[in-house]
């Protein structure tokens, strides 16, 4: 596998992450996961603007070179280096603050790593058989602006995923500190009640999902009344 480290295509065996790396030591990074299929980066504009917003929220310095055109070019170079231009791939774009300092960084300047790995499906597949799901109650997600971004500090999701695996589940519903439904481990949550599509508001601490935004847009075009409101796990049983 080849990686893109700050614009340099590097073979996996040769890439090094320093022991002072802030993403490793403090989870001081943000990332985007992007689907590449049929020669395009799906929802690239939405991913780009969320990445920029996330960097601003955590007070990272956004380089002048971080234009959508430049970053897309770097992603495509990574795809080409891995021979994935003719198939579907999962892109992970990680941005982290440069090493230095303890909790307080010495600099707000950033570095990045891009990876590209093959995936089977070029399109989005509707699961028509259902999932085995339970509610994760060991810990609760805090409601804050930080909760809406994709952060390298993802221990909450990791622990929930271990619970999922230990209990033979396909997914877990995550709750916020008000015990309201927040999201799932790897997805936003929607309820369908007749012609209503209900989803938790961003103020409840759910991820500001790119797919969430596009589902809401599509649902409105299809005539659904989209309602953003808090709801309990019991409401899922009624949907």
């Amino acid at each position: 596998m080849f990686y893109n480290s700050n614009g340099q295509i590097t073979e996996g065996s040769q890439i090094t992450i320093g022991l002072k790396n802030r993403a490793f030591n403090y989870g001081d990074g943000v990332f985007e996961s992007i689907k590449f299929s049929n020669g395009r980066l799906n929802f690239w504009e939405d991913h780009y603007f969320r990445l920029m917003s996330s960097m601003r929220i955590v007070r990272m310095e956004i380089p002048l070179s971080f234009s959508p055109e430049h970053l897309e070019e770097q992603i495509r170079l990574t795809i080409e280096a891995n021979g994935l231009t003719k198939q579907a791939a999962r892109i992970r774009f990680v941005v982290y603050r440069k090493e230095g300092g303890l909790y307080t960084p010495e600099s707000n300047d950033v570095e990045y790593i891009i990876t590209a790995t093959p995936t089977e499906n070029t399109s989005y597949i509707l699961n028509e058989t259902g999932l085995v799901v339970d509610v994760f109650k060991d810990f609760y997600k805090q409601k804050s602006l930080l909760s809406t971004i994709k952060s390298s500090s993802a221990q909450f999701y990791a622990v929930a995923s271990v619970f999922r695996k230990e209990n033979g589940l396909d997914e877990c519903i995550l709750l916020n500190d008000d015990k309201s439904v927040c999201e799932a481990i790897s997805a936003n949550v929607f309820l369908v009640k007749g012609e209503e599509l209900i989803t938790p508001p961003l103020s409840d601490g759910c991820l500001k999902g790119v797919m969430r935004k596009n589902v809401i847009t599509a649902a409105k075009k299809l005539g659904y009344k989209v309602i953003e409101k808090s709801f309990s796990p019991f409401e899922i049983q009624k949907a």
Side-chain angles (χ1 to χ4, degrees), residues 120-239:
E120 293 182 3
N121 299 319
T122 57
S123 59
Y124 297 98
I125 305 300
L126 177 64
N127 180 336
E128 298 188 29
T129 59
L131 300 171
V132 179
V133 178
D134 201 353
V135 179
F136 178 66
K137 298 179 181 178
D138 289 1
F139 301 100
Y140 301 98
K141 192 175 183 185
Q142 187 178 27
K143 297 187 300 179
S144 75
L145 191 59
L146 283 176
S147 300
T148 66
I149 69 175
K150 282 201 166 186
S151 167
S152 298
S153 181
Q155 193 161 42
F156 173 67
Y157 296 100
V159 174
S161 296
V162 172
F163 173 87
R164 175 195 62 76
K165 185 177 180 180
E166 288 176 344
N167 290 276
L169 304 170
D170 296 311
E171 253 294 2
C172 285
I173 299 297
L174 309 179
L175 308 179
N176 63 23
D177 41 21
D178 286 336
K179 311 301 187 292
S180 295
V181 171
C182 183
E183 58 195 0
I185 295 173
S186 58
N188 289 104
V189 174
F190 295 87
L191 303 184
V192 179
K193 287 187 175 182
E195 298 302 314
E196 293 182 345
L197 187 73
I198 304 168
T199 192
L202 295 178
S203 57
D204 272 7
C206 64
L207 180 73
K208 191 177 181 181
V210 166
M211 190 59 72
R212 176 185 185 274
K213 173 186 175 182
N214 285 279
V215 167
I216 289 173
T217 299
K220 289 179 178 178
K221 291 180 179 179
L222 291 170
Y224 284 90
K225 180 181 180 181
V226 178
I227 301 172
E228 296 184 52
K229 70 173 185 179
S230 304
F231 56 87
S232 72
F234 300 105
E235 292 297 315
I236 297 175
Q237 296 175 318
K238 301 176 184 179

Side-chain angles (χ1 to χ4, degrees), residues 103-123:
Y103 283 135
T104 304
E106 293 178 358
S107 168
N108 287 323
D109 292 334
V110 298
E111 297 180 325
Y112 66 85
I113 289 181
I114 306 171
T115 61
T117 53
T119 58
E120 293 182 3
N121 299 319
T122 57
S123 59

